[in-house]
Amino acid sequence: MPARAIDSAKQTSETALADASAAMKNAAENPKQATQSFLHTPFVRAALPFINGGIAGMTATTVIQPVDMVKVRLQLAGEGVKTGPKPTPVSVFRDIVASGKVLDLYTGLSAGLLRQAVYTTARLGFFDTFMKSLTASAESKGQKIGFKERAGAGLAAGGLAAMVGNPADLALIRMQSDGLKPLAQRANYTSVVDALVRISKAEGVARLWAGCYPTVVRAMALNFGQLAFFSEAKNQLKDTSLSPKTQTLTASAVAGFFASFFSLPFDFVKTRLQKQTKAPDGSLPYKGMFDCFKQVARDEGLLRFYRGFGTYYVRIAPHAMVTLLVADYLGFITK
């Protein structure tokens, strides 16, 4: 290598080291400024909505997991029988605790956290990204975005995120429904990783996307109700005398109701499809989303789709409140 090239490389290396040393010195002397500089890099600004969404969703899931467990058991009770058992949230809760222990209410928490790490990270991240893009486009034309744009962003974000998160969602349903089977037939999954690996080996990797269609539709309906109505409600409440925190809580409660109403039938079908396993002859109880809707409507009645609406709302609304409050707070501190 020529001497000039060696000198040039040496000089470049020394400059890089000096810059790194100066950056570290500045960070040590003024950590707040260094943190702000890091948070405002293009890559971090693009990633923050996704990171904040994931943390918010995982926090909410940890709080709401017992309610979700009761909700799933309610949806699976009396399958295929119109005059079957009519459990209540209290009776389901009592049965779970009586047959095991209080911690059984947290069965599937690892799957729930993985689902949030994937699903909520994606849906809130995509929604925030879409909204920023739509807002910038509207402002460039001297306009403001309305409910139609918010709804479109919510539908798109929910659908995309649900496809990515379906395997974790399926593992969660399998783990939560396992306790309903006779002891000899239980899989006794030890974790979400164990469930995913064993389902893949026994039924094929494609099975991890069982119930994907209703999961996507459910996510789109839920996001339409949750994010679009939350954004719209906050917009309507911003000129009221309510404090910002009260506005967020009120908007979350409104969003939770509409999210529950629009998405529960699809959530019900999703649970049934993801719980089913192949019989010895290779057949499945339901051929798909529409077949499940038809069979349940015929054999169990239309109202079965809304069984446990109160429990579902108690699961959705607080989850929405915690998720959106944490996301709002994280968004505030990382501005």
mmCIF file of all heavy atoms in Angstrom, residues 190-226:
data_model
loop_
_atom_site.group_PDB
_atom_site.id
_atom_site.type_symbol
_atom_site.label_atom_id
_atom_site.label_comp_id
_atom_site.label_asym_id
_atom_site.label_seq_id
_atom_site.Cartn_x
_atom_site.Cartn_y
_atom_site.Cartn_z
ATOM 1 N N THR A 190 -45.842 -25.397 27.783
ATOM 2 C CA THR A 190 -45.072 -24.735 28.846
ATOM 3 C C THR A 190 -44.848 -23.257 28.562
ATOM 4 O O THR A 190 -44.608 -22.478 29.486
ATOM 5 C CB THR A 190 -43.713 -25.424 29.027
ATOM 6 O OG1 THR A 190 -43.000 -25.416 27.781
ATOM 7 C CG2 THR A 190 -43.898 -26.872 29.481
ATOM 8 N N SER A 191 -44.908 -22.868 27.300
ATOM 9 C CA SER A 191 -44.694 -21.467 26.926
ATOM 10 C C SER A 191 -45.190 -21.262 25.510
ATOM 11 O O SER A 191 -45.552 -22.223 24.812
ATOM 12 C CB SER A 191 -43.206 -21.104 26.995
ATOM 13 O OG SER A 191 -42.488 -21.797 25.983
ATOM 14 N N VAL A 192 -45.206 -20.016 25.070
ATOM 15 C CA VAL A 192 -45.651 -19.725 23.711
ATOM 16 C C VAL A 192 -44.712 -20.350 22.684
ATOM 17 O O VAL A 192 -45.151 -20.831 21.632
ATOM 18 C CB VAL A 192 -45.760 -18.194 23.492
ATOM 19 C CG1 VAL A 192 -44.406 -17.497 23.678
ATOM 20 C CG2 VAL A 192 -46.312 -17.891 22.106
ATOM 21 N N VAL A 193 -43.411 -20.396 22.981
ATOM 22 C CA VAL A 193 -42.453 -21.012 22.055
ATOM 23 C C VAL A 193 -42.741 -22.509 21.935
ATOM 24 O O VAL A 193 -42.751 -23.070 20.831
ATOM 25 C CB VAL A 193 -41.007 -20.779 22.528
ATOM 26 C CG1 VAL A 193 -40.023 -21.524 21.628
ATOM 27 C CG2 VAL A 193 -40.677 -19.293 22.542
ATOM 28 N N ASP A 194 -42.996 -23.158 23.073
ATOM 29 C CA ASP A 194 -43.329 -24.584 23.073
ATOM 30 C C ASP A 194 -44.587 -24.828 22.250
ATOM 31 O O ASP A 194 -44.658 -25.791 21.463
ATOM 32 C CB ASP A 194 -43.528 -25.057 24.514
ATOM 33 C CG ASP A 194 -43.905 -26.535 24.603
ATOM 34 O OD1 ASP A 194 -43.186 -27.358 23.994
ATOM 35 O OD2 ASP A 194 -44.903 -26.867 25.269
ATOM 36 N N ALA A 195 -45.600 -23.983 22.419
ATOM 37 C CA ALA A 195 -46.852 -24.136 21.673
ATOM 38 C C ALA A 195 -46.621 -23.977 20.175
ATOM 39 O O ALA A 195 -47.095 -24.799 19.369
ATOM 40 C CB ALA A 195 -47.874 -23.114 22.162
ATOM 41 N N LEU A 196 -45.892 -22.942 19.771
ATOM 42 C CA LEU A 196 -45.639 -22.690 18.349
ATOM 43 C C LEU A 196 -44.859 -23.837 17.709
ATOM 44 O O LEU A 196 -45.178 -24.271 16.588
ATOM 45 C CB LEU A 196 -44.880 -21.370 18.177
ATOM 46 C CG LEU A 196 -45.658 -20.092 18.507
ATOM 47 C CD1 LEU A 196 -44.734 -18.879 18.488
ATOM 48 C CD2 LEU A 196 -46.807 -19.881 17.529
ATOM 49 N N VAL A 197 -43.841 -24.327 18.416
ATOM 50 C CA VAL A 197 -43.013 -25.423 17.873
ATOM 51 C C VAL A 197 -43.831 -26.699 17.735
ATOM 52 O O VAL A 197 -43.797 -27.372 16.694
ATOM 53 C CB VAL A 197 -41.785 -25.662 18.778
ATOM 54 C CG1 VAL A 197 -41.056 -26.946 18.366
ATOM 55 C CG2 VAL A 197 -40.829 -24.475 18.695
ATOM 56 N N ARG A 198 -44.592 -27.054 18.773
ATOM 57 C CA ARG A 198 -45.353 -28.304 18.751
ATOM 58 C C ARG A 198 -46.500 -28.269 17.747
ATOM 59 O O ARG A 198 -46.778 -29.277 17.072
ATOM 60 C CB ARG A 198 -45.862 -28.617 20.162
ATOM 61 C CG ARG A 198 -44.734 -29.051 21.096
ATOM 62 C CD ARG A 198 -45.162 -29.083 22.552
ATOM 63 N NE ARG A 198 -46.248 -30.022 22.799
ATOM 64 C CZ ARG A 198 -46.852 -30.156 23.987
ATOM 65 N NH1 ARG A 198 -46.452 -29.404 25.010
ATOM 66 N NH2 ARG A 198 -47.826 -31.022 24.148
ATOM 67 N N ILE A 199 -47.171 -27.130 17.620
ATOM 68 C CA ILE A 199 -48.251 -27.004 16.627
ATOM 69 C C ILE A 199 -47.669 -27.120 15.223
ATOM 70 O O ILE A 199 -48.241 -27.787 14.347
ATOM 71 C CB ILE A 199 -48.999 -25.667 16.801
ATOM 72 C CG1 ILE A 199 -49.777 -25.656 18.117
ATOM 73 C CG2 ILE A 199 -49.966 -25.426 15.639
ATOM 74 C CD1 ILE A 199 -50.318 -24.292 18.514
ATOM 75 N N SER A 200 -46.523 -26.475 14.987
ATOM 76 C CA SER A 200 -45.870 -26.535 13.669
ATOM 77 C C SER A 200 -45.483 -27.957 13.303
ATOM 78 O O SER A 200 -45.683 -28.400 12.160
ATOM 79 C CB SER A 200 -44.619 -25.643 13.653
ATOM 80 O OG SER A 200 -44.941 -24.306 13.913
ATOM 81 N N LYS A 201 -44.925 -28.701 14.267
ATOM 82 C CA LYS A 201 -44.487 -30.078 14.010
ATOM 83 C C LYS A 201 -45.672 -31.018 13.783
ATOM 84 O O LYS A 201 -45.642 -31.875 12.903
ATOM 85 C CB LYS A 201 -43.639 -30.583 15.172
ATOM 86 C CG LYS A 201 -42.238 -29.991 15.235
ATOM 87 C CD LYS A 201 -41.442 -30.596 16.392
ATOM 88 C CE LYS A 201 -40.012 -30.054 16.409
ATOM 89 N NZ LYS A 201 -39.236 -30.616 17.564
ATOM 90 N N ALA A 202 -46.715 -30.849 14.605
ATOM 91 C CA ALA A 202 -47.850 -31.771 14.546
ATOM 92 C C ALA A 202 -48.830 -31.461 13.421
ATOM 93 O O ALA A 202 -49.413 -32.378 12.826
ATOM 94 C CB ALA A 202 -48.586 -31.764 15.887
ATOM 95 N N GLU A 203 -49.012 -30.168 13.107
ATOM 96 C CA GLU A 203 -50.055 -29.786 12.162
ATOM 97 C C GLU A 203 -49.550 -29.021 10.944
ATOM 98 O O GLU A 203 -50.314 -28.709 10.040
ATOM 99 C CB GLU A 203 -51.112 -28.941 12.889
ATOM 100 C CG GLU A 203 -51.693 -29.631 14.112
ATOM 101 C CD GLU A 203 -52.624 -28.720 14.912
ATOM 102 O OE1 GLU A 203 -53.440 -28.017 14.284
ATOM 103 O OE2 GLU A 203 -52.522 -28.697 16.153
ATOM 104 N N GLY A 204 -48.253 -28.688 10.940
ATOM 105 C CA GLY A 204 -47.694 -27.943 9.823
ATOM 106 C C GLY A 204 -47.611 -26.454 10.124
ATOM 107 O O GLY A 204 -48.450 -25.914 10.861
ATOM 108 N N VAL A 205 -46.602 -25.804 9.544
ATOM 109 C CA VAL A 205 -46.393 -24.374 9.799
ATOM 110 C C VAL A 205 -47.588 -23.541 9.343
ATOM 111 O O VAL A 205 -47.967 -22.558 9.987
ATOM 112 C CB VAL A 205 -45.102 -23.890 9.082
ATOM 113 C CG1 VAL A 205 -44.938 -22.376 9.239
ATOM 114 C CG2 VAL A 205 -43.882 -24.603 9.650
ATOM 115 N N ALA A 206 -48.219 -23.947 8.251
ATOM 116 C CA ALA A 206 -49.359 -23.182 7.725
ATOM 117 C C ALA A 206 -50.496 -23.108 8.739
ATOM 118 O O ALA A 206 -51.310 -22.166 8.722
ATOM 119 C CB ALA A 206 -49.860 -23.806 6.428
ATOM 120 N N ARG A 207 -50.554 -24.093 9.646
ATOM 121 C CA ARG A 207 -51.627 -24.121 10.640
ATOM 122 C C ARG A 207 -51.534 -22.943 11.594
ATOM 123 O O ARG A 207 -52.537 -22.554 12.225
ATOM 124 C CB ARG A 207 -51.551 -25.437 11.419
ATOM 125 C CG ARG A 207 -52.708 -25.681 12.366
ATOM 126 C CD ARG A 207 -54.005 -25.843 11.630
ATOM 127 N NE ARG A 207 -55.148 -25.897 12.533
ATOM 128 C CZ ARG A 207 -56.390 -25.638 12.166
ATOM 129 N NH1 ARG A 207 -56.668 -25.303 10.915
ATOM 130 N NH2 ARG A 207 -57.374 -25.721 13.028
ATOM 131 N N LEU A 208 -50.358 -22.343 11.702
ATOM 132 C CA LEU A 208 -50.182 -21.184 12.580
ATOM 133 C C LEU A 208 -51.002 -19.992 12.105
ATOM 134 O O LEU A 208 -51.239 -19.054 12.859
ATOM 135 C CB LEU A 208 -48.702 -20.789 12.671
ATOM 136 C CG LEU A 208 -47.761 -21.819 13.306
ATOM 137 C CD1 LEU A 208 -46.323 -21.330 13.234
ATOM 138 C CD2 LEU A 208 -48.157 -22.081 14.761
ATOM 139 N N TRP A 209 -51.431 -20.052 10.849
ATOM 140 C CA TRP A 209 -52.261 -18.969 10.309
ATOM 141 C C TRP A 209 -53.728 -19.402 10.205
ATOM 142 O O TRP A 209 -54.502 -18.787 9.489
ATOM 143 C CB TRP A 209 -51.727 -18.503 8.958
ATOM 144 C CG TRP A 209 -50.680 -17.446 9.125
ATOM 145 C CD1 TRP A 209 -50.868 -16.091 9.144
ATOM 146 C CD2 TRP A 209 -49.276 -17.649 9.353
ATOM 147 N NE1 TRP A 209 -49.686 -15.445 9.369
ATOM 148 C CE2 TRP A 209 -48.675 -16.368 9.497
ATOM 149 C CE3 TRP A 209 -48.465 -18.776 9.449
ATOM 150 C CZ2 TRP A 209 -47.318 -16.197 9.731
ATOM 151 C CZ3 TRP A 209 -47.113 -18.615 9.677
ATOM 152 C CH2 TRP A 209 -46.547 -17.336 9.814
ATOM 153 N N ALA A 210 -54.107 -20.444 10.968
ATOM 154 C CA ALA A 210 -55.512 -20.851 11.026
ATOM 155 C C ALA A 210 -56.331 -19.696 11.593
ATOM 156 O O ALA A 210 -55.914 -19.030 12.541
ATOM 157 C CB ALA A 210 -55.664 -22.093 11.914
ATOM 158 N N GLY A 211 -57.491 -19.466 11.002
ATOM 159 C CA GLY A 211 -58.334 -18.375 11.476
ATOM 160 C C GLY A 211 -57.806 -17.004 11.118
ATOM 161 O O GLY A 211 -58.242 -16.000 11.687
ATOM 162 N N CYS A 212 -56.872 -16.938 10.155
ATOM 163 C CA CYS A 212 -56.269 -15.649 9.808
ATOM 164 C C CYS A 212 -57.297 -14.682 9.226
ATOM 165 O O CYS A 212 -57.275 -13.491 9.532
ATOM 166 C CB CYS A 212 -55.122 -15.874 8.816
ATOM 167 S SG CYS A 212 -54.194 -14.370 8.430
ATOM 168 N N TYR A 213 -58.201 -15.216 8.394
ATOM 169 C CA TYR A 213 -59.185 -14.346 7.748
ATOM 170 C C TYR A 213 -60.063 -13.634 8.773
ATOM 171 O O TYR A 213 -60.155 -12.395 8.771
ATOM 172 C CB TYR A 213 -60.025 -15.168 6.766
ATOM 173 C CG TYR A 213 -60.928 -14.356 5.867
ATOM 174 C CD1 TYR A 213 -60.581 -13.053 5.487
ATOM 175 C CD2 TYR A 213 -62.129 -14.872 5.393
ATOM 176 C CE1 TYR A 213 -61.407 -12.305 4.668
ATOM 177 C CE2 TYR A 213 -62.963 -14.134 4.575
ATOM 178 C CZ TYR A 213 -62.597 -12.851 4.224
ATOM 179 O OH TYR A 213 -63.411 -12.116 3.410
ATOM 180 N N PRO A 214 -60.736 -14.384 9.701
ATOM 181 C CA PRO A 214 -61.527 -13.658 10.712
ATOM 182 C C PRO A 214 -60.665 -12.825 11.656
ATOM 183 O O PRO A 214 -61.130 -11.812 12.189
ATOM 184 C CB PRO A 214 -62.251 -14.777 11.476
ATOM 185 C CG PRO A 214 -61.455 -16.002 11.204
ATOM 186 C CD PRO A 214 -60.906 -15.836 9.822
ATOM 187 N N THR A 215 -59.407 -13.244 11.856
ATOM 188 C CA THR A 215 -58.511 -12.452 12.707
ATOM 189 C C THR A 215 -58.251 -11.096 12.075
ATOM 190 O O THR A 215 -58.259 -10.063 12.758
ATOM 191 C CB THR A 215 -57.169 -13.190 12.910
ATOM 192 O OG1 THR A 215 -57.417 -14.436 13.551
ATOM 193 C CG2 THR A 215 -56.226 -12.373 13.791
ATOM 194 N N VAL A 216 -58.027 -11.099 10.763
ATOM 195 C CA VAL A 216 -57.790 -9.845 10.036
ATOM 196 C C VAL A 216 -59.044 -8.975 10.050
ATOM 197 O O VAL A 216 -58.979 -7.770 10.320
ATOM 198 C CB VAL A 216 -57.329 -10.129 8.594
ATOM 199 C CG1 VAL A 216 -57.350 -8.851 7.752
ATOM 200 C CG2 VAL A 216 -55.937 -10.738 8.583
ATOM 201 N N VAL A 217 -60.199 -9.598 9.761
ATOM 202 C CA VAL A 217 -61.458 -8.841 9.741
ATOM 203 C C VAL A 217 -61.767 -8.300 11.141
ATOM 204 O O VAL A 217 -62.199 -7.156 11.298
ATOM 205 C CB VAL A 217 -62.624 -9.721 9.241
ATOM 206 C CG1 VAL A 217 -63.939 -8.941 9.282
ATOM 207 C CG2 VAL A 217 -62.353 -10.211 7.826
ATOM 208 N N ARG A 218 -61.531 -9.149 12.166
ATOM 209 C CA ARG A 218 -61.758 -8.722 13.540
ATOM 210 C C ARG A 218 -60.855 -7.544 13.894
ATOM 211 O O ARG A 218 -61.278 -6.569 14.512
ATOM 212 C CB ARG A 218 -61.491 -9.888 14.488
ATOM 213 C CG ARG A 218 -61.566 -9.509 15.967
ATOM 214 C CD ARG A 218 -60.344 -10.012 16.680
ATOM 215 N NE ARG A 218 -60.401 -9.782 18.112
ATOM 216 C CZ ARG A 218 -59.418 -9.258 18.805
ATOM 217 N NH1 ARG A 218 -58.295 -8.901 18.206
ATOM 218 N NH2 ARG A 218 -59.513 -9.091 20.096
ATOM 219 N N ALA A 219 -59.588 -7.634 13.492
ATOM 220 C CA ALA A 219 -58.636 -6.556 13.792
ATOM 221 C C ALA A 219 -59.031 -5.267 13.083
ATOM 222 O O ALA A 219 -58.907 -4.175 13.655
ATOM 223 C CB ALA A 219 -57.231 -6.975 13.366
ATOM 224 N N MET A 220 -59.501 -5.393 11.847
ATOM 225 C CA MET A 220 -59.931 -4.213 11.107
ATOM 226 C C MET A 220 -61.150 -3.595 11.775
ATOM 227 O O MET A 220 -61.243 -2.370 11.917
ATOM 228 C CB MET A 220 -60.227 -4.582 9.652
ATOM 229 C CG MET A 220 -58.986 -4.998 8.870
ATOM 230 S SD MET A 220 -59.336 -5.588 7.199
ATOM 231 C CE MET A 220 -59.775 -4.046 6.383
ATOM 232 N N ALA A 221 -62.097 -4.449 12.198
ATOM 233 C CA ALA A 221 -63.299 -3.943 12.877
ATOM 234 C C ALA A 221 -62.929 -3.312 14.211
ATOM 235 O O ALA A 221 -63.440 -2.247 14.577
ATOM 236 C CB ALA A 221 -64.291 -5.088 13.084
ATOM 237 N N LEU A 222 -62.025 -3.985 14.962
ATOM 238 C CA LEU A 222 -61.619 -3.464 16.269
ATOM 239 C C LEU A 222 -60.864 -2.145 16.123
ATOM 240 O O LEU A 222 -61.111 -1.193 16.862
ATOM 241 C CB LEU A 222 -60.758 -4.503 16.984
ATOM 242 C CG LEU A 222 -60.446 -4.223 18.455
ATOM 243 C CD1 LEU A 222 -60.382 -5.533 19.247
ATOM 244 C CD2 LEU A 222 -59.128 -3.486 18.618
ATOM 245 N N ASN A 223 -59.957 -2.105 15.163
ATOM 246 C CA ASN A 223 -59.194 -0.875 14.950
ATOM 247 C C ASN A 223 -60.077 0.258 14.458
ATOM 248 O O ASN A 223 -59.891 1.416 14.833
ATOM 249 C CB ASN A 223 -58.057 -1.113 13.956
ATOM 250 C CG ASN A 223 -56.744 -1.366 14.646
ATOM 251 O OD1 ASN A 223 -56.720 -1.910 15.735
ATOM 252 N ND2 ASN A 223 -55.655 -0.963 14.037
ATOM 253 N N PHE A 224 -61.048 -0.093 13.602
ATOM 254 C CA PHE A 224 -61.994 0.910 13.123
ATOM 255 C C PHE A 224 -62.735 1.512 14.310
ATOM 256 O O PHE A 224 -62.857 2.733 14.432
ATOM 257 C CB PHE A 224 -62.990 0.275 12.157
ATOM 258 C CG PHE A 224 -64.158 1.170 11.804
ATOM 259 C CD1 PHE A 224 -63.982 2.265 10.975
ATOM 260 C CD2 PHE A 224 -65.423 0.915 12.303
ATOM 261 C CE1 PHE A 224 -65.050 3.099 10.646
ATOM 262 C CE2 PHE A 224 -66.499 1.733 11.985
ATOM 263 C CZ PHE A 224 -66.310 2.822 11.150
ATOM 264 N N GLY A 225 -63.203 0.640 15.223
ATOM 265 C CA GLY A 225 -63.921 1.128 16.394
ATOM 266 C C GLY A 225 -63.019 1.820 17.391
ATOM 267 O O GLY A 225 -63.381 2.855 17.947
ATOM 268 N N GLN A 226 -61.807 1.256 17.606
ATOM 269 C CA GLN A 226 -60.934 1.781 18.651
ATOM 270 C C GLN A 226 -60.172 3.026 18.221
ATOM 271 O O GLN A 226 -60.319 4.089 18.809
ATOM 272 C CB GLN A 226 -59.946 0.701 19.089
ATOM 273 C CG GLN A 226 -59.123 1.108 20.309
ATOM 274 C CD GLN A 226 -58.137 0.016 20.693
ATOM 275 O OE1 GLN A 226 -56.968 0.085 20.347
ATOM 276 N NE2 GLN A 226 -58.607 -0.985 21.411
#
